[in-house]
Amino acid sequence: DSGVTQTPKHLITATGQRVTLRCSPRSGDLSVYWYQQSLDQGLQFLIQYYNGEERAKGNILERFSAQQFPDLHSELNLSSLELGDSALYFCASSPLFPGRRYGYTFGSGTRLTVV
Amino acid sequence: KNEVEQSPQNLTAQEGEFITINCSYSVGISALHWLQQHPGGGIVSLFMLSSGKKKHGRLIATINIQEKHSSLHITASHPRDSAVYICAVRGSGGTSYGKLTFGQGTILTVHP
């Protein structure tokens, strides 16, 4: 167990639907990152939150949104789902901004299948 | 051209062989990470490097900042080392500081 908890582990849903992925960071970590891993695009950075505030945005679609709550857990909301959204979604956390002493801790991922 | 390039994309070895995976990047970075992903998906961080060399067990990682190149070596490879190894670089400033940019991964298979 890495200390980063992602739920659910697997999700199967239909096109057009909306889902919420949840991430609880490692205890004490303030930053949460979301990544998408698909077969054709590999791993891509989606978005980062630090202590409740959005810090950086990557290749995140407008249909996707995220937030980090006061207890530091984060949710990634995916709406109007398309077949191409099928992927592994990873969450990672770090203590502050990753500095020279700190790295990332990854969760085990949520596998989303859109049918 | 991708900002992070790994080679080889696929690597097959016999147990006991010395393995090298290479990573080249084209952007300024604050650190480079080597990640391991086993079938089933979970990602484990192996090393974080900003200079020099690190060793953990049979794994060695090196980085040359001037040449923008890093290598991951596995000595005395074992079938349990079979996994995807991913190089990722962390941005060097501003809002890119925290985000990782990933290589496409190297699929390593070690046969007994």
Side-chain angles (χ1 to χ4, degrees):
Chain A
D1 181 9
S2 68
V4 176
T5 304
Q6 286 190 251
T7 57
K9 292 198 185 308
H10 301 276
L11 197 48
I12 302 175
T13 190
T15 55
Q17 295 297 305
R18 172 189 167 95
V19 297
T20 297
L21 313 183
R22 183 186 167 103
C23 169
S24 293
R26 196 179 61 157
S27 178
D29 286 358
L30 298 177
S31 277
V32 169
Y33 308 80
W34 286 98
Y35 297 93
Q36 179 194 57
Q37 185 178 37
S38 60
L39 281 175
D40 55 345
Q41 302 271 12
L43 270 161
Q44 291 195 90
F45 168 72
L46 295 178
I47 198 164
Q48 177 199 356
Y49 278 83
Y50 169 67
N51 203 21
E53 294 190 5
E54 183 184 302
R55 173 65 186 169
K57 243 179 181 177
N59 300 321
I60 187 166
L61 300 171
E62 285 192 14
R63 300 182 285 108
F64 296 1
S65 65
Q67 54 184 326
Q68 187 179 26
F69 294 86
D71 67 352
L72 301 178
H73 91 271
S74 178
E75 292 181 355
L76 179 66
N77 300 298
L78 315 176
S79 61
S80 303
L81 284 166
E82 302 174 0
L83 296 177
D85 298 327
S86 296
L88 260 173
Y89 291 85
F90 285 101
C91 167
S93 71
S94 69
L96 296 172
F97 296 121
R100 291 182 186 274
R101 291 179 57 202
Y102 304 109
Y104 297 85
T105 304
F106 284 83
S108 56
T110 293
R111 185 174 295 278
L112 173 67
T113 304
V114 182
V115 298
Chain B
K1 185 173 161 57
N2 293 332
E3 292 180 341
V4 183
E5 295 278 355
Q6 281 184 242
S7 63
Q9 291 192 9
N10 286 279
L11 185 53
T12 301
Q14 288 297 126
E15 184 173 356
E17 286 184 0
F18 181 85
I19 286 162
T20 296
I21 300 170
N22 295 299
C23 175
S24 296
Y25 54 94
S26 58
V27 295
I29 68 169
S30 57
L32 181 143
H33 296 253
W34 282 101
L35 309 172
Q36 181 192 56
Q37 186 173 27
H38 277 287
I43 293 176
V44 174
S45 180
L46 298 175
F47 292 104
M48 179 178 69
L49 295 161
S50 54
S51 64
K53 175 179 174 179
K54 286 189 176 179
K55 184 175 189 289
H56 182 70
R58 295 179 295 107
L59 301 178
I60 303 167
T62 65
I63 188 168
N64 185 318
I65 297 293
Q66 287 72 31
E67 294 187 5
K68 296 188 174 176
H69 181 268
S70 176
S71 293
L72 176 68
H73 306 286
I74 305 175
T75 62
S77 59
H78 190 276
R80 65 174 174 266
D81 297 326
S82 298
V84 178
Y85 292 83
I86 303 167
C87 170
V89 300
R90 194 169 77 217
S92 60
T95 56
S96 68
Y97 183 70
K99 63 174 259 192
L100 292 176
T101 303
F102 300 88
Q104 71 274 41
T106 295
I107 303 171
L108 172 64
T109 306
V110 182
H111 293 294

